[in-house]
Amino acid sequence: MNDQNAIGTYSAENRSFEPSPAFVSRARIASRAQYDALYKESVESPETFWKRETSDLVFDTPWSALSEWKPPHAKWFIGARLNVSQSCLDRHLTTATRDKAAIIWESEPGETLTLTYAALHEKVVAFTAALRTLGVRKGDRVAIYMGMVPEAVIGMLACARIGAPHTVVFGGFAAESLRDRINDCGAKVVLTQDGALRRGNVVPLKATVDRAVETIETVEKVVVLRRLGAEAGSQLRAGRDIDWYDAVAAADPAQGHAEIVDGEHPLFILYTSGSTGKPKGVLHTTAGYLAGTHLTTKYVFDLQDDDVYWCTADVGWITGHSYLVYGPLSNGATCVLYEGAPNQPDWGRFWQIIEKHRVTVLYTAPTAIRAFIRQGNDWPAKSDLSSLRLLGSVGEPINPEAWMWYREHVGKNRCPIVDTWWQTETGAIMLTTLPGASFTKPGSTGLPFFGVRAEVVTQEGQKVPTGEGGLLVLKQPWPSMLRTIYGDDERYREQYWTEIPGAYFTGDGARQDADGYFHVVGRIDDVLNVSGHRIGTAEIESALVAHPAVAEAAAVGRPDDLKGQALVVFVTLKPNQPATPDLKKRLAEHVANEIGKFARPDSVRFAESLPKTRSGKIMRRLLKDIAAGIETKGDVSTLEDLNVLAQLREE
Ligand code: PRX
């Protein structure tokens, strides 16, 4: 271990950094011994641990038993009755938090809107009444397809208040993907906005909703926020569409109450990519998810009452759910919500926002950090970043160079960095360092959070020796774990609980070092992580084969300095289809139109055939090597036709 200003002689991976005495003196968990004791309690006496640690949340009826585990199905906080929105809002109304800012919204053009906890509560109550008046009841599903505006958060909390599970669909998804998700969960109402502002352009969300819901019978109402102003005029379809604030004005104000639900009542469904087939509707429930996000936010971000906390994730992803909405609001934190792109109007925007709002905690993604590095050190240097005290990273492995840049140029060698590993499925952070408790290392996600038993194992479930690579598993259920895949219990069981005996399989590869710190290297299944966006190769492939020119397709990831992974697709064409550069462009465009622009392939390569085993399975690892331009070291003896490799290399 080195002191916090260590420089130079080590390669970045070997360095470690202790938190400064100033940070430790205020930290909630201020020593390794304190972490160790709490961790021990969390796994050995979980009842005592969770009782105390959730005592500030609002339960209408307390739980009678902590959990029930009938593999692979877990229940937590048995018998508890509550409503999540009361812990996020109502409970703050009787304390000084009432008049504290809950959301500081920064629009892309630069306006600021601040909502105190009292104001946010009022808006959520009003919109709850609006949704109830439109017929939304406990158990109904509501889809939310919006940009980064306060109403997106208000919509989520209003759904929670009714007990109507929301499914937020990232605004970058195309109509087809939106339709699949609305259809899969049978949403009754869709919340959207006329358009979102992104890099100075308008993203026409309402028009996409119109296309998506055309053929969907379950959708009864579309509620439209006029973000661009009434004059920008999105067309409201009579009988189906209603203006957001007209719906509020027309509502019965008595309908804004919180419905008390069982602790295992579904809170939301969030679709994510798996290694096969269509996206999975990851289902999270009420009490366990709230407990997990509440506790991790408090301890991982070491929340203090005067913090101004900024999580840059979009509400459409799990990070936006857990660390933009439920975790911070249940802790009474002040959250910055930024509407736009990091480089609008220029690459100084993030740093100006930090200076303007005196942000103290910043939680962002490695891909953003790498993009900033490319723009040079001058941008962060132009703004006053002295308010920052803690930095976080999430979504993909952070390379040590990016970690060091983040530390030096953003944190000014003063702020600890928490590298947090978790997934849509885990609901909350699973691996991290607690910033005041222990040293951090570039490229390591640290130790398990309370109640988490993580291990690196072989395919047979045997723990691998220290320092060796293996599969990352979680050995026991935890409160914020997914409960199932919506409508598909069998897929849930198969996907997560059958691969490795007796454990939840994460899909990630990892190793644990001599300090017990985890190093997560990334997915080892057919899931890609492109700029922190999780993309299933199967989804890309099925979009491609739906194109009339395509016979067969295989999608793989190629290491990329900026995006982590770039998306490369190999395509064989149907007979008589000319393999032109123009067709490559059209195929890339086709994927963007079918799934979303973030899934546009970086490279399309034509192939006469794809490398397959004799049983017809595409040999992806060979394609990965070809995409990366490296010599294949692996075994090719099972390859059906060796010529295929030579042809692919030539192309
Ligand atoms: O591969 C891991 C990677 O992101 C995957 C989960 O993606 P998603 O469900 O979209 O959730 C992202 C936000 C939590 C994981 O299986 N991942 C996430 N965080 C890290 C990470 N890889 C390395 N280090 C991390 N800190």
Side-chain angles (χ1 to χ4, degrees):
M1 267 178 277
N2 305 309
D3 71 32
Q4 70 147 2
N5 289 319
I7 38 165
T9 52
Y10 302 84
S11 85
E13 282 105 313
N14 294 333
R15 291 199 251 177
S16 60
F17 299 91
E18 294 284 357
S20 69
F23 189 94
V24 174
S25 69
R26 275 188 86 189
R28 284 177 179 269
I29 297 185
S31 69
R32 177 64 190 259
Q34 203 185 342
Y35 159 82
D36 287 341
L38 278 168
Y39 180 79
K40 189 165 187 285
E41 184 193 42
S42 74
V43 290
E44 290 178 4
S45 314
E47 280 83 4
T48 319
F49 176 85
W50 287 106
K51 187 107 233 147
R52 184 186 61 245
E53 297 294 336
T54 57
S55 60
D56 53 344
L57 297 172
V58 182
F59 287 93
D60 185 74
T61 310
W63 71 86
S64 48
L66 181 65
S67 63
E68 178 192 288
W69 178 224
K70 292 186 182 158
H73 296 290
K75 290 183 179 168
W76 283 84
F77 307 110
I78 315 287
R81 296 189 58 78
L82 70 160
N83 185 287
V84 163
S85 78
Q86 293 191 326
S87 284
C88 292
L89 300 169
D90 304 55
R91 85 176 178 101
H92 303 306
L93 299 182
T94 52
T95 70
T97 308
R98 181 190 168 85
D99 299 317
K100 179 177 167 179
I103 294 178
I104 300 174
W105 181 61
E106 166 92 8
S107 75
E108 191 175 83
E111 309 109 297
T112 297
L113 173 81
T114 301
L115 291 175
T116 61
Y117 271 89
L120 182 62
H121 174 263
E122 198 176 304
K123 283 187 175 287
V124 170
V125 168
F127 195 64
T128 301
L131 286 181
R132 278 214 181 89
T133 306
L134 291 175
V136 178
R137 295 287 175 272
K138 177 182 164 189
D140 290 341
R141 276 81 60 211
V142 175
I144 303 180
Y145 184 67
M146 299 182 75
M148 293 285 279
V149 290
E151 283 82 356
V153 179
I154 292 165
M156 290 164 79
L157 290 167
C159 289
R161 206 165 173 85
I162 294 174
H166 54 69
T167 186
V168 185
V169 180
F170 171 56
F173 276 112
E176 193 67 30
S177 301
L178 176 61
R179 179 185 302 135
D180 286 350
R181 286 157 175 77
I182 295 175
N183 255 332
D184 189 77
C185 70
K188 184 171 179 180
V189 169
V190 180
L191 314 182
T192 189
Q193 61 192 72
D194 43 8
L197 293 181
R198 185 82 189 166
R199 217 163 273 125
N201 300 318
V202 170
V203 183
L205 296 174
K206 169 62 165 55
T208 305
V209 169
D210 285 342
R211 283 203 302 283
V213 304
E214 241 162 19
T215 52
I216 303 181
E217 279 168 14
T218 57
V219 174
E220 293 172 12
K221 294 281 173 212
V222 176
V223 184
V224 186
L225 172 75
R226 309 291 188 101
R227 162 71 185 102
L228 307 173
E231 66 283 3
S234 59
Q235 297 288 327
L236 297 186
R237 188 172 302 177
R240 187 196 69 183
D241 300 351
I242 182 163
D243 176 279
W244 187 288
Y245 285 102
D246 287 349
V248 169
D252 169 4
Q255 293 297 311
H257 59 278
E259 175 101 24
I260 303 299
V261 298
D262 186 86
E264 282 298 326
H265 184 72
L267 179 64
F268 65 85
I269 300 161
L270 184 59
Y271 287 86
T272 189
S273 296
S275 49
T276 53
K278 61 187 178 101
K280 306 178 283 195
V282 167
L283 180 84
H284 282 290
T285 54
T286 298
Y289 176 81
L290 177 65
T293 53
H294 180 69
L295 218 64
T296 46
T297 308
K298 185 193 285 181
Y299 290 131
V300 178
F301 301 111
D302 186 48
L303 272 191
Q304 309 286 339
D305 193 41
D306 54 359
D307 270 327
V308 177
Y309 162 93
W310 183 19
C311 165
T312 67
D314 193 282
V315 282
W317 305 114
I318 191 68
T319 309
H321 287 56
S322 301
Y323 298 109
L324 196 65
V325 182
Y326 294 107
L329 296 179
S330 68
N331 279 291
T334 293
C335 310
V336 172
L337 177 68
Y338 171 50
E339 179 178 41
N343 58 349
Q344 183 64 23
D346 58 40
W347 285 97
R349 188 61 187 276
F350 262 34
W351 321 123
Q352 286 154 13
I353 291 175
I354 290 169
E355 177 176 322
K356 179 173 170 186
H357 299 298
R358 306 296 298 154
V359 171
T360 58
V361 180
L362 174 68
Y363 190 33
T364 194
T367 197
I369 297 165
R370 291 192 295 262
F372 288 125
I373 294 174
R374 287 201 172 181
Q375 303 306 318
N377 303 342
D378 291 350
W379 288 110
K382 279 186 202 163
S383 294
D384 174 6
L385 305 183
S386 61
S387 56
L388 286 173
R389 64 180 200 90
L390 176 61
L391 306 175
S393 172
V394 60
E396 47 179 322
I398 178 164
N399 48 313
E401 298 72 25
W403 196 100
M404 289 305 298
W405 186 90
Y406 197 24
R407 177 180 157 80
E408 284 170 21
H409 294 279
V410 182
K412 314 286 180 192
N413 296 317
R414 188 172 30 80
C415 308
I417 298 177
V418 287
D419 177 5
T420 60
W421 176 90
W422 58 294
Q423 309 178 298
T424 305
E425 293 88 340
T426 68
I429 293 167
M430 298 281 106
L431 300 176
T432 180
T433 39
L434 294 182
S438 44
F439 58 89
T440 52
K441 299 181 191 192
S444 169
T445 56
L447 300 166
F449 188 72
F450 304 132
V452 174
R453 282 189 55 225
E455 226 168 64
V456 181
V457 301
T458 63
Q459 191 77 46
E460 290 72 41
Q462 299 302 316
K463 192 170 183 205
V464 302
T466 300
E468 275 183 29
L471 312 174
L472 179 64
V473 298
L474 302 173
K475 303 271 291 184
Q476 66 182 30
W478 61 99
S480 64
M481 69 185 248
L482 81 164
R483 296 303 192 259
T484 191
I485 292 175
Y486 185 73
D488 200 345
D489 264 349
E490 196 37 48
R491 192 172 174 199
Y492 164 70
R493 177 192 302 272
E494 218 173 86
Q495 189 91 47
Y496 304 108
W497 297 98
T498 54
E499 192 97 6
I500 310 293
Y504 167 91
F505 177 46
T506 62
D508 278 331
R511 69 185 164 82
Q512 220 180 338
D513 67 20
D515 291 315
Y517 277 42
F518 286 84
H519 299 250
V520 177
V521 292
R523 306 290 305 197
I524 54 156
D525 53 7
D526 292 327
V527 172
L528 306 179
N529 195 328
V530 177
S531 298
H533 293 149
R534 183 165 156 179
I535 301 176
T537 50
E539 286 163 71
I540 305 285
E541 290 161 6
S542 68
L544 280 166
V545 295
H547 189 279
V550 176
E552 214 174 13
V556 296
R558 173 185 73 199
D560 185 272
D561 283 351
L562 183 63
K563 297 175 155 193
Q565 281 187 303
L567 174 58
V568 180
V569 296
F570 292 85
V571 170
T572 61
L573 296 175
K574 286 189 179 152
N576 306 323
Q577 290 292 337
T580 61
D582 181 56
L583 181 58
K584 284 188 179 180
K585 269 196 212 132
R586 280 187 284 128
L587 290 178
E589 199 52 34
H590 171 74
V591 176
N593 288 338
E594 290 287 301
I595 298 177
K597 288 198 175 72
F598 65 92
R600 184 197 303 270
D602 296 279
S603 164
V604 177
R605 298 177 63 163
F606 291 131
E608 276 182 28
S609 53
L610 297 176
K612 288 189 185 156
T613 61
R614 280 176 205 102
S615 60
K617 206 169 166 331
I618 294 175
M619 293 179 77
R620 274 166 204 292
R621 75 186 155 76
L622 299 185
L623 290 174
K624 267 189 213 165
D625 291 347
I626 290 167
I630 57 174
E631 206 52 48
T632 299
K633 287 193 210 75
D635 179 16
V636 291
S637 60
T638 53
L639 185 62
E640 191 199 29
D641 177 2
L642 272 170
N643 289 329
V644 171
L645 272 190
Q647 279 165 6
L648 282 167
R649 287 235 153 74
E650 268 167 35
E651 210 275 340

